[in-house]
Amino acid sequence: MSKLPRISGRECVAALTKAGFFVRRQEGSHIILRRHDPFAQIVVPDHRELDRGTLRAIIRQAGLSVDEFMGLL
C-alpha cells in the first residue's frame, strides 16, 4: 500500500473531480461532492492540509484504492 501524501482539501477535490465527482455545494469550510453512478456523496474539509486518517476515509468513501487516488493527483 502506498503512503498517503500531504495534500490540501482543494487538491483532494480536484482529484475526485477527475474520478467523476462534481461539487454539489459548500457549507462553511466543507465541500460536498457527489457522483450519480454509482451514487456516492463525500464531504471534504477545505483545509490547508488534510489529516491522513481523514484522507484515507475520503478515499474509501469514494470507492478508490490509494494507488488509484495517487494516479488522479
Short mmCIF file of all heavy atoms in Angstrom, two decimals:
data_model
loop_
_atom_site.label_atom_id
_atom_site.label_comp_id
_atom_site.label_asym_id
_atom_site.label_seq_id
_atom_site.Cartn_x
_atom_site.Cartn_y
_atom_site.Cartn_z
N MET A 1 0.85 -1.17 0.00
CA MET A 1 0.00 0.00 0.00
C MET A 1 0.89 1.23 0.00
O MET A 1 1.89 1.30 0.69
CB MET A 1 -0.90 0.00 1.24
CG MET A 1 -1.90 1.12 1.22
SD MET A 1 -2.94 1.28 2.69
CE MET A 1 -3.35 -0.38 3.10
N SER A 2 0.51 2.22 -0.79
CA SER A 2 1.28 3.45 -0.89
C SER A 2 1.06 4.34 0.32
O SER A 2 0.01 4.31 0.96
CB SER A 2 0.87 4.23 -2.13
OG SER A 2 1.13 3.48 -3.28
N LYS A 3 2.07 5.12 0.61
CA LYS A 3 1.95 6.09 1.69
C LYS A 3 1.12 7.27 1.20
O LYS A 3 1.27 7.71 0.07
CB LYS A 3 3.35 6.55 2.08
CG LYS A 3 3.38 7.43 3.29
CD LYS A 3 4.80 7.75 3.68
CE LYS A 3 4.79 8.68 4.88
NZ LYS A 3 6.15 9.02 5.29
N LEU A 4 0.23 7.75 2.06
CA LEU A 4 -0.63 8.86 1.67
C LEU A 4 0.15 10.16 1.63
O LEU A 4 0.96 10.43 2.52
CB LEU A 4 -1.79 9.01 2.66
CG LEU A 4 -2.88 7.96 2.57
CD1 LEU A 4 -3.85 8.13 3.71
CD2 LEU A 4 -3.59 8.07 1.26
N PRO A 5 -0.10 10.98 0.63
CA PRO A 5 0.59 12.27 0.54
C PRO A 5 -0.07 13.30 1.46
O PRO A 5 -1.19 13.11 1.92
CB PRO A 5 0.39 12.66 -0.92
CG PRO A 5 -0.92 12.05 -1.28
CD PRO A 5 -0.97 10.74 -0.51
N ARG A 6 0.62 14.38 1.73
CA ARG A 6 0.07 15.52 2.47
C ARG A 6 -0.49 16.47 1.42
O ARG A 6 0.26 17.12 0.69
CB ARG A 6 1.15 16.22 3.28
CG ARG A 6 1.64 15.42 4.44
CD ARG A 6 0.58 15.43 5.51
NE ARG A 6 1.12 14.94 6.76
CZ ARG A 6 0.41 14.84 7.85
NH1 ARG A 6 -0.85 15.18 7.86
NH2 ARG A 6 0.94 14.38 8.95
N ILE A 7 -1.81 16.55 1.33
CA ILE A 7 -2.44 17.42 0.34
C ILE A 7 -3.49 18.28 1.02
O ILE A 7 -3.94 17.99 2.12
CB ILE A 7 -3.08 16.62 -0.82
CG1 ILE A 7 -4.20 15.72 -0.31
CG2 ILE A 7 -2.03 15.82 -1.57
CD1 ILE A 7 -5.02 15.08 -1.40
N SER A 8 -3.89 19.34 0.31
CA SER A 8 -4.92 20.23 0.82
C SER A 8 -6.30 19.70 0.42
O SER A 8 -6.42 18.79 -0.42
CB SER A 8 -4.73 21.64 0.25
OG SER A 8 -5.02 21.65 -1.13
N GLY A 9 -7.33 20.29 0.98
CA GLY A 9 -8.69 19.92 0.62
C GLY A 9 -8.99 20.23 -0.84
O GLY A 9 -9.66 19.45 -1.51
N ARG A 10 -8.47 21.34 -1.33
CA ARG A 10 -8.70 21.72 -2.74
C ARG A 10 -8.04 20.72 -3.70
O ARG A 10 -8.60 20.39 -4.74
CB ARG A 10 -8.16 23.12 -3.01
CG ARG A 10 -8.85 24.21 -2.25
CD ARG A 10 -10.14 24.59 -2.90
NE ARG A 10 -10.86 25.53 -2.04
CZ ARG A 10 -11.91 26.19 -2.43
NH1 ARG A 10 -12.39 26.05 -3.64
NH2 ARG A 10 -12.54 27.00 -1.60
N GLU A 11 -6.84 20.24 -3.35
CA GLU A 11 -6.17 19.24 -4.18
C GLU A 11 -6.96 17.93 -4.19
O GLU A 11 -7.06 17.27 -5.22
CB GLU A 11 -4.75 19.00 -3.68
CG GLU A 11 -3.82 20.17 -3.89
CD GLU A 11 -2.49 20.01 -3.18
OE1 GLU A 11 -2.47 19.44 -2.07
OE2 GLU A 11 -1.48 20.46 -3.75
N CYS A 12 -7.54 17.59 -3.05
CA CYS A 12 -8.36 16.39 -2.95
C CYS A 12 -9.61 16.53 -3.82
O CYS A 12 -9.98 15.60 -4.53
CB CYS A 12 -8.74 16.15 -1.50
SG CYS A 12 -9.73 14.67 -1.24
N VAL A 13 -10.25 17.68 -3.78
CA VAL A 13 -11.44 17.93 -4.61
C VAL A 13 -11.08 17.83 -6.09
O VAL A 13 -11.82 17.24 -6.88
CB VAL A 13 -12.05 19.31 -4.27
CG1 VAL A 13 -13.09 19.71 -5.30
CG2 VAL A 13 -12.66 19.30 -2.88
N ALA A 14 -9.93 18.38 -6.49
CA ALA A 14 -9.51 18.32 -7.89
C ALA A 14 -9.31 16.86 -8.33
O ALA A 14 -9.71 16.49 -9.44
CB ALA A 14 -8.22 19.11 -8.08
N ALA A 15 -8.72 16.04 -7.49
CA ALA A 15 -8.51 14.63 -7.83
C ALA A 15 -9.84 13.89 -7.92
O ALA A 15 -10.04 13.09 -8.84
CB ALA A 15 -7.60 13.98 -6.79
N LEU A 16 -10.76 14.16 -6.99
CA LEU A 16 -12.05 13.48 -7.02
C LEU A 16 -12.88 13.93 -8.22
O LEU A 16 -13.68 13.15 -8.75
CB LEU A 16 -12.81 13.73 -5.71
CG LEU A 16 -12.22 13.04 -4.48
CD1 LEU A 16 -12.93 13.51 -3.23
CD2 LEU A 16 -12.28 11.53 -4.62
N THR A 17 -12.70 15.15 -8.67
CA THR A 17 -13.39 15.63 -9.87
C THR A 17 -12.97 14.80 -11.08
O THR A 17 -13.79 14.47 -11.94
CB THR A 17 -13.10 17.13 -10.10
OG1 THR A 17 -13.54 17.85 -8.95
CG2 THR A 17 -13.82 17.65 -11.32
N LYS A 18 -11.69 14.45 -11.14
CA LYS A 18 -11.20 13.61 -12.23
C LYS A 18 -11.80 12.21 -12.16
O LYS A 18 -11.87 11.51 -13.17
CB LYS A 18 -9.68 13.51 -12.19
CG LYS A 18 -8.97 14.80 -12.50
CD LYS A 18 -7.48 14.62 -12.37
CE LYS A 18 -6.75 15.94 -12.50
NZ LYS A 18 -5.31 15.79 -12.24
N ALA A 19 -12.23 11.79 -10.97
CA ALA A 19 -12.81 10.46 -10.77
C ALA A 19 -14.32 10.45 -11.01
O ALA A 19 -14.98 9.44 -10.75
CB ALA A 19 -12.51 9.96 -9.36
N GLY A 20 -14.89 11.56 -11.47
CA GLY A 20 -16.30 11.59 -11.81
C GLY A 20 -17.20 12.30 -10.82
O GLY A 20 -18.42 12.30 -10.99
N PHE A 21 -16.64 12.88 -9.78
CA PHE A 21 -17.43 13.62 -8.80
C PHE A 21 -17.59 15.07 -9.27
O PHE A 21 -16.80 15.56 -10.07
CB PHE A 21 -16.74 13.61 -7.43
CG PHE A 21 -16.84 12.29 -6.72
CD1 PHE A 21 -15.91 11.30 -6.97
CD2 PHE A 21 -17.85 12.04 -5.82
CE1 PHE A 21 -15.99 10.08 -6.32
CE2 PHE A 21 -17.94 10.82 -5.17
CZ PHE A 21 -17.01 9.84 -5.42
N PHE A 22 -18.62 15.73 -8.77
CA PHE A 22 -18.80 17.16 -9.04
C PHE A 22 -19.17 17.84 -7.73
O PHE A 22 -19.71 17.22 -6.81
CB PHE A 22 -19.86 17.41 -10.12
CG PHE A 22 -21.24 16.92 -9.77
CD1 PHE A 22 -22.16 17.77 -9.15
CD2 PHE A 22 -21.62 15.62 -10.05
CE1 PHE A 22 -23.42 17.32 -8.82
CE2 PHE A 22 -22.88 15.16 -9.73
CZ PHE A 22 -23.78 16.02 -9.11
N VAL A 23 -18.84 19.13 -7.65
CA VAL A 23 -19.11 19.89 -6.44
C VAL A 23 -20.60 20.17 -6.38
O VAL A 23 -21.16 20.81 -7.28
CB VAL A 23 -18.30 21.20 -6.40
CG1 VAL A 23 -18.68 22.03 -5.18
CG2 VAL A 23 -16.81 20.90 -6.40
N ARG A 24 -21.24 19.68 -5.34
CA ARG A 24 -22.69 19.88 -5.17
C ARG A 24 -22.96 21.22 -4.49
O ARG A 24 -23.79 21.99 -4.93
CB ARG A 24 -23.23 18.72 -4.33
CG ARG A 24 -24.66 18.81 -3.99
CD ARG A 24 -25.52 18.45 -5.15
NE ARG A 24 -26.90 18.38 -4.69
CZ ARG A 24 -27.92 18.36 -5.49
NH1 ARG A 24 -27.73 18.37 -6.79
NH2 ARG A 24 -29.13 18.32 -5.01
N ARG A 25 -22.22 21.47 -3.39
CA ARG A 25 -22.37 22.73 -2.66
C ARG A 25 -21.23 22.84 -1.67
O ARG A 25 -20.47 21.91 -1.49
CB ARG A 25 -23.72 22.80 -1.94
CG ARG A 25 -23.88 21.79 -0.82
CD ARG A 25 -25.28 21.86 -0.21
NE ARG A 25 -25.41 20.97 0.92
CZ ARG A 25 -25.70 19.68 0.85
NH1 ARG A 25 -25.87 19.12 -0.33
NH2 ARG A 25 -25.80 18.95 1.94
N GLN A 26 -21.16 24.00 -1.02
CA GLN A 26 -20.18 24.20 0.03
C GLN A 26 -20.88 24.85 1.21
O GLN A 26 -21.62 25.81 1.05
CB GLN A 26 -19.03 25.09 -0.45
CG GLN A 26 -17.97 25.30 0.62
CD GLN A 26 -16.72 25.94 0.10
OE1 GLN A 26 -16.54 26.10 -1.10
NE2 GLN A 26 -15.84 26.32 1.00
N GLU A 27 -20.63 24.29 2.38
CA GLU A 27 -21.19 24.85 3.61
C GLU A 27 -20.03 25.17 4.54
O GLU A 27 -19.41 24.27 5.09
CB GLU A 27 -22.14 23.85 4.27
CG GLU A 27 -23.39 23.60 3.46
CD GLU A 27 -24.35 22.64 4.15
OE1 GLU A 27 -24.17 22.37 5.35
OE2 GLU A 27 -25.27 22.16 3.48
N GLY A 28 -19.73 26.43 4.68
CA GLY A 28 -18.60 26.84 5.51
C GLY A 28 -17.32 26.33 4.91
O GLY A 28 -17.00 26.59 3.75
N SER A 29 -16.56 25.56 5.70
CA SER A 29 -15.28 25.05 5.21
C SER A 29 -15.39 23.61 4.73
O SER A 29 -14.38 22.92 4.63
CB SER A 29 -14.22 25.15 6.32
OG SER A 29 -14.57 24.29 7.38
N HIS A 30 -16.60 23.13 4.44
CA HIS A 30 -16.78 21.78 3.96
C HIS A 30 -17.37 21.78 2.56
O HIS A 30 -18.40 22.42 2.31
CB HIS A 30 -17.70 20.98 4.90
CG HIS A 30 -17.06 20.71 6.22
ND1 HIS A 30 -17.03 21.64 7.23
CD2 HIS A 30 -16.40 19.63 6.68
CE1 HIS A 30 -16.39 21.13 8.26
NE2 HIS A 30 -15.99 19.92 7.95
N ILE A 31 -16.70 21.07 1.66
CA ILE A 31 -17.13 20.96 0.26
C ILE A 31 -17.81 19.61 0.09
O ILE A 31 -17.24 18.58 0.43
CB ILE A 31 -15.93 21.09 -0.69
CG1 ILE A 31 -15.22 22.42 -0.45
CG2 ILE A 31 -16.37 20.96 -2.14
CD1 ILE A 31 -13.86 22.52 -1.10
N ILE A 32 -19.03 19.62 -0.43
CA ILE A 32 -19.80 18.39 -0.61
C ILE A 32 -19.75 18.03 -2.09
O ILE A 32 -20.15 18.81 -2.95
CB ILE A 32 -21.26 18.55 -0.14
CG1 ILE A 32 -21.32 18.72 1.38
CG2 ILE A 32 -22.10 17.34 -0.52
CD1 ILE A 32 -21.26 20.09 1.88
N LEU A 33 -19.23 16.82 -2.37
CA LEU A 33 -19.13 16.32 -3.74
C LEU A 33 -20.09 15.17 -3.92
O LEU A 33 -20.38 14.44 -2.97
CB LEU A 33 -17.70 15.83 -4.02
CG LEU A 33 -16.65 16.91 -3.94
CD1 LEU A 33 -15.64 16.56 -2.90
CD2 LEU A 33 -16.01 17.09 -5.27
N ARG A 34 -20.54 14.98 -5.16
CA ARG A 34 -21.49 13.92 -5.44
C ARG A 34 -21.15 13.26 -6.77
O ARG A 34 -20.62 13.89 -7.67
CB ARG A 34 -22.90 14.48 -5.49
CG ARG A 34 -23.96 13.40 -5.67
CD ARG A 34 -25.34 13.97 -5.61
NE ARG A 34 -25.68 14.13 -4.19
CZ ARG A 34 -26.85 14.55 -3.76
NH1 ARG A 34 -27.77 14.90 -4.63
NH2 ARG A 34 -27.10 14.66 -2.48
N ARG A 35 -21.49 11.97 -6.85
CA ARG A 35 -21.36 11.20 -8.10
C ARG A 35 -22.67 10.43 -8.24
O ARG A 35 -23.17 9.89 -7.26
CB ARG A 35 -20.17 10.24 -7.99
CG ARG A 35 -20.00 9.35 -9.20
CD ARG A 35 -18.83 8.41 -9.04
NE ARG A 35 -19.06 7.53 -7.90
CZ ARG A 35 -18.12 6.79 -7.33
NH1 ARG A 35 -16.89 6.85 -7.75
NH2 ARG A 35 -18.42 6.01 -6.31
N HIS A 36 -23.21 10.39 -9.44
CA HIS A 36 -24.50 9.74 -9.65
C HIS A 36 -24.40 8.24 -9.88
O HIS A 36 -25.23 7.49 -9.38
CB HIS A 36 -25.25 10.38 -10.81
CG HIS A 36 -25.75 11.76 -10.50
ND1 HIS A 36 -26.63 12.02 -9.48
CD2 HIS A 36 -25.46 12.96 -11.04
CE1 HIS A 36 -26.89 13.32 -9.42
NE2 HIS A 36 -26.17 13.91 -10.36
N ASP A 37 -23.41 7.79 -10.65
CA ASP A 37 -23.37 6.37 -10.99
C ASP A 37 -21.99 5.78 -10.77
O ASP A 37 -21.08 6.10 -11.54
CB ASP A 37 -23.80 6.17 -12.45
CG ASP A 37 -24.01 4.72 -12.80
OD1 ASP A 37 -24.40 3.96 -11.90
OD2 ASP A 37 -23.79 4.35 -13.97
N PRO A 38 -21.77 4.95 -9.79
CA PRO A 38 -22.67 4.61 -8.70
C PRO A 38 -22.76 5.77 -7.71
O PRO A 38 -21.79 6.51 -7.52
CB PRO A 38 -22.00 3.40 -8.05
CG PRO A 38 -20.56 3.56 -8.35
CD PRO A 38 -20.50 4.24 -9.69
N PHE A 39 -23.91 5.90 -7.06
CA PHE A 39 -24.15 7.04 -6.20
C PHE A 39 -23.17 7.08 -5.03
O PHE A 39 -22.93 6.07 -4.37
CB PHE A 39 -25.58 7.02 -5.65
CG PHE A 39 -25.87 8.20 -4.76
CD1 PHE A 39 -26.17 9.43 -5.30
CD2 PHE A 39 -25.78 8.09 -3.39
CE1 PHE A 39 -26.41 10.52 -4.50
CE2 PHE A 39 -26.02 9.17 -2.56
CZ PHE A 39 -26.33 10.40 -3.12
N ALA A 40 -22.61 8.26 -4.81
CA ALA A 40 -21.74 8.48 -3.65
C ALA A 40 -21.75 9.96 -3.34
O ALA A 40 -21.82 10.80 -4.25
CB ALA A 40 -20.33 8.01 -3.93
N GLN A 41 -21.71 10.29 -2.07
CA GLN A 41 -21.61 11.68 -1.63
C GLN A 41 -20.50 11.75 -0.59
O GLN A 41 -20.47 10.95 0.34
CB GLN A 41 -22.93 12.16 -1.04
CG GLN A 41 -22.89 13.63 -0.65
CD GLN A 41 -24.27 14.17 -0.39
OE1 GLN A 41 -25.13 14.12 -1.25
NE2 GLN A 41 -24.49 14.68 0.80
N ILE A 42 -19.60 12.70 -0.78
CA ILE A 42 -18.42 12.82 0.07
C ILE A 42 -18.29 14.25 0.56
O ILE A 42 -18.53 15.19 -0.20
CB ILE A 42 -17.15 12.43 -0.70
CG1 ILE A 42 -17.27 11.00 -1.21
CG2 ILE A 42 -15.91 12.59 0.16
CD1 ILE A 42 -16.16 10.59 -2.11
N VAL A 43 -17.90 14.42 1.81
CA VAL A 43 -17.65 15.73 2.39
C VAL A 43 -16.14 15.88 2.57
O VAL A 43 -15.50 15.04 3.21
CB VAL A 43 -18.36 15.89 3.74
CG1 VAL A 43 -18.05 17.25 4.34
CG2 VAL A 43 -19.85 15.71 3.58
N VAL A 44 -15.57 16.93 1.95
CA VAL A 44 -14.13 17.19 2.04
C VAL A 44 -13.93 18.51 2.77
O VAL A 44 -14.44 19.54 2.33
CB VAL A 44 -13.49 17.26 0.63
CG1 VAL A 44 -12.00 17.57 0.74
CG2 VAL A 44 -13.72 15.98 -0.13
N PRO A 45 -13.18 18.52 3.87
CA PRO A 45 -12.88 19.78 4.55
C PRO A 45 -11.94 20.63 3.70
O PRO A 45 -10.99 20.10 3.13
CB PRO A 45 -12.21 19.37 5.86
CG PRO A 45 -12.20 17.89 5.89
CD PRO A 45 -12.65 17.37 4.58
N ASP A 46 -12.21 21.90 3.62
CA ASP A 46 -11.37 22.81 2.83
C ASP A 46 -10.25 23.34 3.73
O ASP A 46 -10.24 24.51 4.09
CB ASP A 46 -12.22 23.96 2.27
CG ASP A 46 -11.44 24.83 1.31
OD1 ASP A 46 -10.36 24.41 0.87
OD2 ASP A 46 -11.91 25.94 1.01
N HIS A 47 -9.33 22.44 4.09
CA HIS A 47 -8.22 22.80 4.96
C HIS A 47 -6.92 22.84 4.17
O HIS A 47 -6.83 22.25 3.11
CB HIS A 47 -8.09 21.80 6.11
CG HIS A 47 -9.28 21.75 7.00
ND1 HIS A 47 -9.51 20.71 7.86
CD2 HIS A 47 -10.32 22.61 7.19
CE1 HIS A 47 -10.63 20.93 8.54
NE2 HIS A 47 -11.14 22.08 8.13
N ARG A 48 -5.93 23.52 4.72
CA ARG A 48 -4.63 23.59 4.05
C ARG A 48 -3.99 22.22 3.94
O ARG A 48 -3.33 21.92 2.94
CB ARG A 48 -3.67 24.48 4.85
CG ARG A 48 -3.65 25.85 4.36
CD ARG A 48 -2.55 26.62 5.01
NE ARG A 48 -2.95 28.02 4.95
CZ ARG A 48 -2.54 28.94 5.74
NH1 ARG A 48 -1.66 28.67 6.67
NH2 ARG A 48 -2.97 30.17 5.60
N GLU A 49 -4.16 21.41 4.96
CA GLU A 49 -3.58 20.07 4.96
C GLU A 49 -4.57 19.11 5.63
O GLU A 49 -4.99 19.34 6.75
CB GLU A 49 -2.26 20.09 5.74
CG GLU A 49 -1.44 18.85 5.59
CD GLU A 49 -0.09 19.00 6.25
OE1 GLU A 49 0.79 19.67 5.68
OE2 GLU A 49 0.06 18.46 7.35
N LEU A 50 -4.94 18.06 4.91
CA LEU A 50 -5.86 17.08 5.45
C LEU A 50 -5.10 16.07 6.31
O LEU A 50 -3.99 15.66 5.94
CB LEU A 50 -6.58 16.33 4.32
CG LEU A 50 -7.51 17.15 3.43
CD1 LEU A 50 -8.04 16.27 2.31
CD2 LEU A 50 -8.65 17.74 4.24
N ASP A 51 -5.69 15.67 7.41
CA ASP A 51 -5.11 14.60 8.22
C ASP A 51 -5.12 13.32 7.40
O ASP A 51 -6.00 13.10 6.56
CB ASP A 51 -5.92 14.38 9.49
CG ASP A 51 -5.76 15.50 10.49
OD1 ASP A 51 -4.71 16.18 10.46
OD2 ASP A 51 -6.68 15.71 11.29
N ARG A 52 -4.17 12.46 7.66
CA ARG A 52 -4.06 11.23 6.88
C ARG A 52 -5.27 10.32 7.09
O ARG A 52 -5.75 9.69 6.15
CB ARG A 52 -2.77 10.50 7.21
CG ARG A 52 -1.57 11.24 6.65
CD ARG A 52 -0.38 10.32 6.50
NE ARG A 52 0.65 11.02 5.76
CZ ARG A 52 1.82 11.37 6.28
NH1 ARG A 52 2.09 11.09 7.53
NH2 ARG A 52 2.71 12.00 5.54
N GLY A 53 -5.79 10.27 8.30
CA GLY A 53 -6.97 9.44 8.57
C GLY A 53 -8.19 9.97 7.84
O GLY A 53 -8.99 9.19 7.31
N THR A 54 -8.33 11.28 7.79
CA THR A 54 -9.45 11.90 7.06
C THR A 54 -9.33 11.61 5.57
O THR A 54 -10.32 11.24 4.92
CB THR A 54 -9.47 13.42 7.31
OG1 THR A 54 -9.54 13.67 8.70
CG2 THR A 54 -10.62 14.08 6.59
N LEU A 55 -8.13 11.75 5.03
CA LEU A 55 -7.91 11.49 3.61
C LEU A 55 -8.19 10.02 3.28
O LEU A 55 -8.82 9.71 2.27
CB LEU A 55 -6.49 11.87 3.21
CG LEU A 55 -6.12 11.68 1.75
CD1 LEU A 55 -7.07 12.46 0.84
CD2 LEU A 55 -4.69 12.10 1.50
N ARG A 56 -7.75 9.12 4.14
CA ARG A 56 -7.98 7.70 3.91
C ARG A 56 -9.48 7.39 3.92
O ARG A 56 -9.98 6.62 3.10
CB ARG A 56 -7.27 6.87 4.97
CG ARG A 56 -7.27 5.39 4.68
CD ARG A 56 -6.39 4.61 5.63
NE ARG A 56 -4.99 4.99 5.57
CZ ARG A 56 -4.12 4.58 4.64
NH1 ARG A 56 -4.53 3.79 3.67
NH2 ARG A 56 -2.86 4.95 4.68
N ALA A 57 -10.24 8.03 4.81
CA ALA A 57 -11.69 7.82 4.87
C ALA A 57 -12.36 8.36 3.61
O ALA A 57 -13.29 7.74 3.08
CB ALA A 57 -12.26 8.50 6.11
N ILE A 58 -11.90 9.51 3.12
CA ILE A 58 -12.46 10.09 1.89
C ILE A 58 -12.21 9.16 0.71
O ILE A 58 -13.10 8.90 -0.11
CB ILE A 58 -11.86 11.49 1.64
CG1 ILE A 58 -12.39 12.48 2.68
CG2 ILE A 58 -12.16 11.97 0.22
CD1 ILE A 58 -11.66 13.81 2.69
N ILE A 59 -11.00 8.63 0.61
CA ILE A 59 -10.66 7.71 -0.48
C ILE A 59 -11.52 6.46 -0.41
O ILE A 59 -12.03 5.97 -1.42
CB ILE A 59 -9.16 7.36 -0.44
CG1 ILE A 59 -8.32 8.61 -0.76
CG2 ILE A 59 -8.83 6.23 -1.41
CD1 ILE A 59 -6.84 8.44 -0.49
N ARG A 60 -11.72 5.94 0.78
CA ARG A 60 -12.55 4.74 0.98
C ARG A 60 -14.00 5.01 0.58
O ARG A 60 -14.64 4.19 -0.09
CB ARG A 60 -12.48 4.29 2.44
CG ARG A 60 -13.12 2.95 2.69
CD ARG A 60 -13.00 2.50 4.14
NE ARG A 60 -11.61 2.48 4.60
CZ ARG A 60 -11.17 3.19 5.63
NH1 ARG A 60 -11.98 3.96 6.33
NH2 ARG A 60 -9.90 3.13 6.00
N GLN A 61 -14.54 6.18 0.97
CA GLN A 61 -15.93 6.52 0.62
C GLN A 61 -16.09 6.70 -0.88
O GLN A 61 -17.18 6.45 -1.42
CB GLN A 61 -16.34 7.80 1.34
CG GLN A 61 -16.51 7.64 2.83
CD GLN A 61 -16.71 8.96 3.53
OE1 GLN A 61 -16.95 9.99 2.90
NE2 GLN A 61 -16.59 8.95 4.85
N ALA A 62 -15.04 7.13 -1.55
CA ALA A 62 -15.10 7.31 -3.00
C ALA A 62 -15.02 5.99 -3.75
O ALA A 62 -15.25 5.93 -4.96
CB ALA A 62 -13.96 8.23 -3.46
N GLY A 63 -14.68 4.91 -3.04
CA GLY A 63 -14.58 3.60 -3.68
C GLY A 63 -13.30 3.44 -4.47
O GLY A 63 -13.24 2.65 -5.43
N LEU A 64 -12.25 4.16 -4.09
CA LEU A 64 -10.97 4.10 -4.78
C LEU A 64 -9.93 3.44 -3.89
O LEU A 64 -10.08 3.41 -2.66
CB LEU A 64 -10.48 5.52 -5.12
CG LEU A 64 -11.37 6.38 -6.00
CD1 LEU A 64 -10.84 7.80 -6.05
CD2 LEU A 64 -11.44 5.80 -7.40
N SER A 65 -8.88 2.93 -4.51
CA SER A 65 -7.73 2.48 -3.74
C SER A 65 -6.77 3.67 -3.61
O SER A 65 -6.89 4.68 -4.33
CB SER A 65 -7.03 1.32 -4.44
OG SER A 65 -6.38 1.77 -5.61
N VAL A 66 -5.83 3.55 -2.70
CA VAL A 66 -4.86 4.63 -2.51
C VAL A 66 -4.06 4.86 -3.78
O VAL A 66 -3.80 5.99 -4.19
CB VAL A 66 -3.93 4.32 -1.31
CG1 VAL A 66 -2.84 5.37 -1.20
CG2 VAL A 66 -4.74 4.25 -0.03
N ASP A 67 -3.69 3.77 -4.47
CA ASP A 67 -2.91 3.88 -5.71
C ASP A 67 -3.72 4.57 -6.81
O ASP A 67 -3.19 5.38 -7.57
CB ASP A 67 -2.43 2.51 -6.17
CG ASP A 67 -1.40 1.92 -5.21
OD1 ASP A 67 -0.63 2.70 -4.62
OD2 ASP A 67 -1.36 0.68 -5.08
N GLU A 68 -5.01 4.25 -6.90
CA GLU A 68 -5.86 4.90 -7.91
C GLU A 68 -5.96 6.39 -7.61
O GLU A 68 -5.89 7.23 -8.52
CB GLU A 68 -7.26 4.30 -7.90
CG GLU A 68 -7.33 2.90 -8.45
CD GLU A 68 -8.69 2.25 -8.23
OE1 GLU A 68 -9.39 2.60 -7.28
OE2 GLU A 68 -9.02 1.36 -9.04
N PHE A 69 -6.12 6.74 -6.33
CA PHE A 69 -6.21 8.14 -5.94
C PHE A 69 -4.91 8.88 -6.26
O PHE A 69 -4.93 10.00 -6.75
CB PHE A 69 -6.54 8.25 -4.45
CG PHE A 69 -6.72 9.66 -3.98
CD1 PHE A 69 -7.90 10.34 -4.24
CD2 PHE A 69 -5.71 10.32 -3.30
CE1 PHE A 69 -8.08 11.66 -3.82
CE2 PHE A 69 -5.88 11.63 -2.88
CZ PHE A 69 -7.06 12.30 -3.14
N MET A 70 -3.78 8.23 -5.99
CA MET A 70 -2.47 8.85 -6.27
C MET A 70 -2.33 9.12 -7.77
O MET A 70 -1.74 10.12 -8.17
CB MET A 70 -1.35 7.94 -5.79
CG MET A 70 -1.31 7.72 -4.30
SD MET A 70 -0.66 9.10 -3.43
CE MET A 70 1.05 8.94 -3.82
N GLY A 71 -2.88 8.25 -8.60
CA GLY A 71 -2.83 8.45 -10.05
C GLY A 71 -3.65 9.64 -10.50
O GLY A 71 -3.36 10.25 -11.53
N LEU A 72 -4.68 10.01 -9.73
CA LEU A 72 -5.52 11.15 -10.08
C LEU A 72 -4.90 12.49 -9.68
O LEU A 72 -5.31 13.52 -10.19
CB LEU A 72 -6.89 11.02 -9.40
CG LEU A 72 -7.73 9.83 -9.85
CD1 LEU A 72 -8.96 9.70 -8.97
CD2 LEU A 72 -8.13 9.98 -11.31
N LEU A 73 -3.94 12.45 -8.76
CA LEU A 73 -3.28 13.69 -8.33
C LEU A 73 -2.39 14.14 -9.45
O LEU A 73 -2.10 14.97 -9.95
CB LEU A 73 -2.44 13.47 -7.07
CG LEU A 73 -3.24 13.18 -5.81
CD1 LEU A 73 -2.29 12.85 -4.67
CD2 LEU A 73 -4.10 14.37 -5.41
#
